[in-house]
Every structure is written in structure tokens, then in C-alpha cells.
Amino acid sequence: MLLVTGGAGFIGANFVLDWLAQSAEAVVNLDKLTYAGNLQTLESLSGNPGHVFVQGDIGDSALVDRLLAEHRPRAVVNFAAESHVDRSIHGPEDFVQTNVVGTFRLLESVRGYWSALPTDQKAAFRFLHVSTDEVYGSLGAADPAFTEENKFEPNSPYSASKAASDHLVRAWRHTYSLPVLTTNCSNNYGPFHFPEKLIPLMIVNALAGKPLPVYGDGMQVRDWLYVKDHCSAIRRVLESGRLGETYNVGGWNEKPNIEIVNTICALLDELRPRADGKSYREQITFVTDRPGHDRRYAIDARKLERELGWKPAETFDTGIRKTVEWYLANGEWVRNVQSGAYREWVQKQYGAPAKAAA
Ligand code: NAD
Ligand code: DAU
């Protein structure tokens, strides 16, 4: 049994879906269902006894203690977080609350549970913390990609809160010997990505005839990884990662933002041409830059490749085509997310209180 937190969000849900497609081991999925959590993403697991969903907060120690005692997982995979940089600039408090305080409380609950396990289960137990390349700060154009040796220089409230959580995880290893693993991944994209992030936002805005807002000069560089490849890396680290180690995860796909937007426009021009015959590029609009915008991220994933034999399955070309095709085929998922209608579905399905989408 695994305890997965944040498993109704973009990466967590992809992980749970992939896990249950490949393994008979059940998953308890603890998710607060913030604006980013969406049980409709997990609809295909309805009636699957291998998936136990619990709505709740990683910072609710009584709840987490009870779940650990009841389900006795052999590992915890922590995806739960506030994840959007722009939101962290406008309202950092939730980021500190979930990413820092929440991770601290989760670590304490897990430590209590793990300490009392019989020796063999104690030795086999793992706490895998899912983190980001943004903890390393920003690279200059000629700098080498981030390795696990780079120092932490987080620049946004989001990345600072994630860096704090990584430090807590590290300290729980050093001080209490908790068997932890940490992954620091680059930008993900793929199915079920909330349309506030660059790639899904550009796809849905293009199709809706809206402007495609490119921040600043559009020459900021991100390093893109298809979400299923991130999930396979996490599985590999969970299986074979060395205790206390951190592993960078990335697919060697550095691209300036404007190139990403142009690629999406070209794919849409091919797959769903505009009625007026013009290119979706016409909708590109350069807007005011994000405050403190990191210029470049790039991940050196050689440690993960060398030690654990991990390789991504998708190139950027194959992954972005799959992603655009997924959004074209899943208009209802997008419409429900945008309208907040998925809250009503959750209420009907689970009797949980509906919350307005932010
Ligand atoms: P997301 O915003 O799509 O999902 C986050 C999920 O966590 C949501 O389902 C939300 O309801 C849940 N959640 C939030 N606060 C919670 C709390 N207090 N208790 C329980 N659940 C809570 O995020 P994502 O993009 O899927 O990211 C998942 C993890 O991966 C995060 O830790 C993020 O920092 C990390 N990460 C993301 C990326 C990326 O490109 N998206 C890259 C590297 C690392
Ligand atoms: O690097 C990993 C991180 O990637 C994760 O830790 C975060 O959770 C995830 O949100 C992502 O952060 P970014 O800030 O890089 O992602 P976002 O999609 O918000 O933006 C990607 C780039 O595109 C960034 O340079 C800002 C730019 N951008 C974004 C949006 C939403 C635009 O130019 N226009 C936009 O409308």
C-alpha cells in the first residue's frame, strides 16, 4: 500500500493512474481538493478497490496519523503542494502553509508511524518528496545545467517554500534517520494540466480565440518533461533510489517560451485550423513580465540516468503533439475545470462540500 498526497492534481493524478495501471499495489490518495485538485481526472478509477480517496490536508496531523495507522503504507509519495508561481506572487500565505508547515506536519506524522514499525518494515519504508528545479534559482545563458550539487537560490515565494520543504526532508533524514528520497524535476506538461500553466493555457486560449499572453520578451528558457516520464522517474527512485539522496529529473529539452507557443500554434494550425484560415500565431500578445521572473532553468539528469538507468520515453516533439491532441479530445474536462463544474461532480459523487474554483 502507498500513501500518495496531492493525487488529484496534475502530476499526482497521472502518477496514481499509471501506478494502478501497472501494479496491483493499492493507493490511498490524500488530497485537500483545492482549486487544483480534480477528482474527475480520476474518474476511470471509480469502483476500483485499489484506489481509496480521502479528502483532507497533509497538515491535519490527526487525519494523517489515522490514515497511516489504518492503511499501514510501505511508502509515502508527497505531491501535495501549492504549485503555481504567479499565484505565489499574489498570495504567498497558502504556499507557506501547505508547502512548509504541511510538509513539516506530514514528516512528523510519518516519523511517528515509521518509528513504531517492526524492524523489517522499518528498513523497507520510504518517504519520497516530489520537488522542483526552481529551488536552484536561475541560470545564465552559458551556465551548465543544474546538478544535485547546485546550491539552493530560490527566487519566488513558491520556490522558496519548496526549498524550505526540501530542507525539512533532508533534516528529518539527518536528525531522525527517516528513510527519505527527494526528486527535483523540471517543467512538466501533458494530460490533465490545469490551464493556468503555460502550455495548457496557450492551447485553451488559442481554441477560444483569446490572446496568448507571453510574459516579457518570451525568451525565458524552461526545460520540459512529459508528465508520464516524470512518473516513471518517481517509480524508479522509489524502487531503487539511495536513501537520503536527491535526484534531478529532466529530459534535456530546453526551450524559450516563445518557441513553445509557436510550436503549439503550428500544431493547432495543422490539427484544428482557424475558421478564417489565419495562424493561431496572430493571437500571440506580449504582456508585462512576471515579477522576479527566473530567466533559465535546465536540468542535468545524469545521476538518475547513470545510477538508476532511467530514460524518458518521449521527445519534446512526440510529447507536445500528444498533449495538444489530448486537449483537443478532452474539451469537456477543460470546460468543467474552467467553469468550476467539476466541483458539482465531486459533491454528487462523494458528498464533499463544493468549493468555488479560484
Ligand atoms: P497541482 O497544483 O496540479 O496539484 C497539487 C495537488 O495538491 C492538488 O490536487 C491539490 O488539491 C493538492 N493539495 C494542495 N494543498 C494540499 C494540502 N494542504 N493537503 C493535501 N493536498 C493538497 O500541482 P502539480 O503540478 O501536480 O505538482 C505536484 C508536485 O510536483 C508539487 O509538489 C510541485 O511542487 C511538484 N513539481 C511540479 C512540477 C510541474 O511542472 N508542475 C515540476 C516539478 C515539481
Ligand atoms: O520548473 C518546475 C516548475 O515549473 C514547477 O515547480 C511549478 O510547479 C510549475 O508551475 C512550473 O513553473 P513555471 O513558472 O516555470 O511554469 P508556468 O507554466 O507558470 O510558466 C512557464 C513559463 O512561461 C514561465 O517562464 C512563465 C511563462 N508564462 C507563463 C504563463 C502562465 C508566460 O509567458 N505566459 C503565461 O501566461
Side-chain angles (χ1 to χ4, degrees), residues 202-212 274 280 282-283:
M202 293 299 152
I203 299 170
V204 304
N205 273 15
L207 292 170
K210 291 183 181 168
L212 308 180
R274 266 173 48 157
Y280 286 96
E282 302 261 327
Q283 290 163 235

Side-chain angles (χ1 to χ4, degrees), residues 80-82 99 129-132 135 157-167:
E82 288 293 334
N99 301 0
H129 180 61
V130 180
S131 192
T132 170
V135 297
Y158 164 70
S159 55
S161 68
K162 289 298 290 187
S165 69
D166 291 16
H167 283 316

Side-chain angles (χ1 to χ4, degrees), residues 165-341:
S165 69
D166 291 16
H167 283 316
L168 290 171
V169 170
R170 181 181 189 280
W172 260 240
R173 169 77 187 154
H174 192 79
T175 306
Y176 306 111
S177 304
L178 193 72
V180 304
L181 299 154
T182 299
T183 52
N184 293 91
C185 189
S186 60
N187 286 61
N188 285 214
Y189 67 101
F192 305 116
H193 204 180
F194 196 86
E196 64 185 352
K197 310 278 168 56
L198 179 75
I199 287 181
L201 182 79
M202 293 299 152
I203 299 170
V204 304
N205 273 15
L207 292 170
K210 291 183 181 168
L212 308 180
V214 175
Y215 297 165
D217 63 2
M219 289 308 290
Q220 304 83 5
V221 171
R222 295 293 181 268
D223 189 353
W224 294 94
L225 184 69
Y226 193 64
V227 63
K228 304 282 179 193
D229 284 324
H230 188 187
C231 295
S232 75
I234 292 169
R235 287 199 303 275
R236 190 65 63 86
V237 173
L238 189 62
E239 278 157 21
S240 318
R242 285 190 289 129
L243 284 187
E245 291 292 313
T246 66
Y247 292 90
N248 282 356
V249 188
W252 307 95
N253 282 312
E254 281 187 65
K255 310 261 180 220
N257 293 336
I258 189 67
E259 189 181 324
I260 299 289
V261 178
N262 279 324
T263 301
I264 291 168
C265 289
L267 281 165
L268 288 172
D269 288 342
E270 175 198 328
L271 299 168
R272 181 75 56 86
R274 266 173 48 157
D276 62 7
K278 293 185 177 159
S279 170
Y280 286 96
R281 284 199 182 94
E282 302 261 327
Q283 290 163 235
I284 294 175
T285 313
F286 288 89
V287 299
T288 309
D289 208 352
R290 174 186 276 176
H293 199 168
D294 284 340
R295 195 67 183 166
R296 176 178 164 236
Y297 305 141
I299 275 283
D300 181 332
R302 276 178 295 184
K303 177 176 173 185
L304 179 60
E305 293 166 1
R306 189 179 60 244
E307 288 190 13
L308 305 184
W310 174 83
K311 281 252 176 296
E314 303 292 341
T315 64
F316 187 72
D317 286 351
T318 60
I320 193 69
R321 181 173 283 273
K322 280 187 182 175
T323 303
V324 170
E325 285 170 350
W326 187 89
Y327 278 89
L328 288 173
N330 288 276
E332 197 193 325
W333 184 92
V334 174
R335 278 190 296 281
N336 281 342
V337 168
Q338 287 181 313
S339 68

